[in-house]
Amino acid sequence: MGEGGYWELATASTNPNFGSNPSERSLEQLLAAGIVLVEKPRGPSSHQLAAWARELLGISRLGHGGTLDPFATGLLTLLCGKATRLTEMALKVDKRYVGVLRFGRAVEETEIEAIFSELTGVIYNVPPLESAVKIQVRTRTIHSLMLLDTDPDSRIAAFELSCSAGTYVRTLAKDIGLLLGTRCELTELHRDRTGNFDQSMSCSMQQLADASFLSREHDDDSALIKLIAPVETLLSGLPAITVKDGAAAALSHGAPLARPGVVRAPRGVPEGAAVLLQSIKGEAVSVARMTVDTDSLPEMKSGEVAVARAVMMETGTYPRSWSRE
């Protein structure tokens, strides 16, 4: 039966001659589906930084998940190759920022904390005129808004913000000013966390340039390999269903997952949920949508379990099998 919150549904082994552990991938494989976390400096836009990285790495498919304004600094997620299929997922994760506000008058610490408390929870958040999206009222969630330090004489305050994706911090600053009855300007903004990624995992653009130079000019890929994480790091928050080698081969062609191909599945995942279909070696095969709930799997002998939404595995990674996997 199931142990530790999982259903053990089949006994299966994996062929060591095909596929590989994600931590053992070559540079070519990482560029085909990988993640680079860069520390964006003040000045360039997120699009400019992505364009520079695309040129440095010598690949045509590279995007970013979560735009930072030119004046802002911090974590920017770059998606290489097939990882660009997960852009929407990267955009939807929660973010954490630290920043500095400047007020039009001296504001007491107690005043700021009271307003911060009012703005915690679900709020209305309108994109500023400077943004590239349609100006319309939307709701966003402020998980926490904390005052870190304040200097009434200089009329500035430092804060930490944890919020849902798509929160416009400039707008939040203006709202703080309206509630305080004074001007409030966002003068500094730094993103130090995005989803499961934090600042300790990032590199500078100079480090990326140096590692790319070593790879290109000296055939030394070791530094660049350390800076590119396998795509699985972005998918670690999804419930993971382990599948047989033969099922992975079929899934890489976009086929749905059938019940005989399932090795292991977490309990309690409902129909319609997004899941990661992974090989026995831990490779991401695809992001899929459940067409049944996982608690019904022990009673199933056949039938469709999940349909692919974004295929990650290259075709031919595992040989096709004619068995019912």
Side-chain angles (χ1 to χ4, degrees):
M1 299 299 289
E3 293 184 6
Y6 279 84
W7 295 110
E8 301 293 345
L9 300 166
T11 300
S13 60
T14 181
N15 190 328
N17 296 320
F18 299 95
S20 64
N21 186 298
S23 64
E24 299 170 354
R25 289 193 180 132
S26 66
L27 176 59
E28 183 181 7
Q29 290 172 318
L30 289 170
L31 291 174
I35 310 293
V36 184
L37 291 174
V38 296
E39 186 81 9
K40 179 192 169 300
R42 191 182 183 109
S45 69
S46 298
H47 294 293
Q48 286 173 321
L49 217 65
W52 294 342
R54 195 178 297 121
E55 184 176 350
L56 283 173
L57 297 173
I59 57 176
S60 58
R61 293 178 65 189
L62 185 144
H64 66 82
T67 301
L68 280 171
D69 284 351
F71 90 101
T73 62
L75 279 180
L76 187 66
T77 308
L78 302 181
L79 310 169
C80 306
K82 283 193 173 184
T84 56
R85 298 177 182 179
L86 305 175
T87 300
E88 185 178 353
M89 181 180 297
L91 291 172
K92 286 182 177 180
V93 298
D94 290 345
K95 310 290 195 301
R96 189 176 70 192
Y97 301 91
V98 290
V100 176
L101 301 172
R102 178 180 290 121
F103 302 105
R105 63 171 174 83
V107 182
E108 295 299 320
E109 184 175 320
T110 53
E111 287 185 89
I112 301 171
E113 289 179 335
I115 297 303
F116 280 10
S117 180
E118 282 186 45
L119 289 170
T120 302
V122 179
I123 65 166
Y124 292 110
N125 193 242
V126 181
L129 292 175
E130 299 93 333
S131 72
V133 301
K134 183 179 179 181
I135 306 300
Q136 60 184 13
V137 177
R138 61 195 49 203
T139 58
R140 292 293 183 263
T141 301
I142 305 300
H143 301 301
S144 67
L145 181 56
M146 297 187 299
L147 181 64
L148 299 177
D149 197 8
T150 183
D151 183 350
D153 294 335
S154 301
R155 300 178 299 179
I156 61 173
F159 67 92
E160 180 185 276
L161 167 68
S162 178
C163 57
S164 61
T167 301
Y168 287 93
V169 188
R170 282 185 190 271
T171 298
L172 185 65
K174 291 179 180 178
D175 291 343
I176 291 169
L178 287 172
L179 291 169
L180 287 169
T182 186
R183 178 174 55 82
C184 180
E185 178 189 4
L186 180 67
T187 61
E188 301 280 346
L189 187 66
H190 179 82
R191 183 158 69 201
D192 68 353
R193 189 171 188 87
T194 175
N196 295 325
F197 302 134
D198 64 40
Q199 200 164 313
S200 67
M201 306 173 183
S202 66
C203 68
S204 67
M205 285 300 290
Q206 185 60 57
Q207 288 173 315
L208 188 64
D210 290 344
S212 298
F213 175 81
L214 285 173
S215 175
R216 184 175 59 254
E217 301 295 334
H218 298 281
D219 294 323
D220 182 357
D221 296 339
S222 59
L224 202 49
I225 285 173
K226 289 179 181 178
L227 299 183
I228 307 175
V231 70
E232 286 80 5
T233 57
L234 186 62
L235 301 170
S236 59
L238 290 178
I241 294 178
T242 304
V243 303
K244 299 176 183 177
D245 288 1
L251 289 164
S252 69
H253 288 272
L257 174 62
R259 171 60 185 85
V262 181
V263 175
R264 190 172 188 255
R267 297 184 180 207
V269 179
E271 178 183 348
V275 294
L276 167 64
L277 303 183
Q278 66 178 14
S279 71
I280 296 172
K281 296 184 182 74
E283 303 151 291
V285 182
S286 68
V287 176
R289 179 180 58 82
M290 294 296 296
T291 53
V292 297
D293 62 87
T294 56
D295 290 344
S296 67
L297 294 179
E299 305 303 321
M300 289 178 64
K301 301 301 179 187
S302 63
E304 184 181 272
V305 172
V307 292
R309 294 171 57 185
V311 176
M312 293 291 106
M313 181 169 280
E314 292 287 346
T315 57
T317 302
Y318 287 94
R320 295 293 294 269
S321 170
W322 292 106
S323 62
R324 297 179 63 196
E325 295 181 348

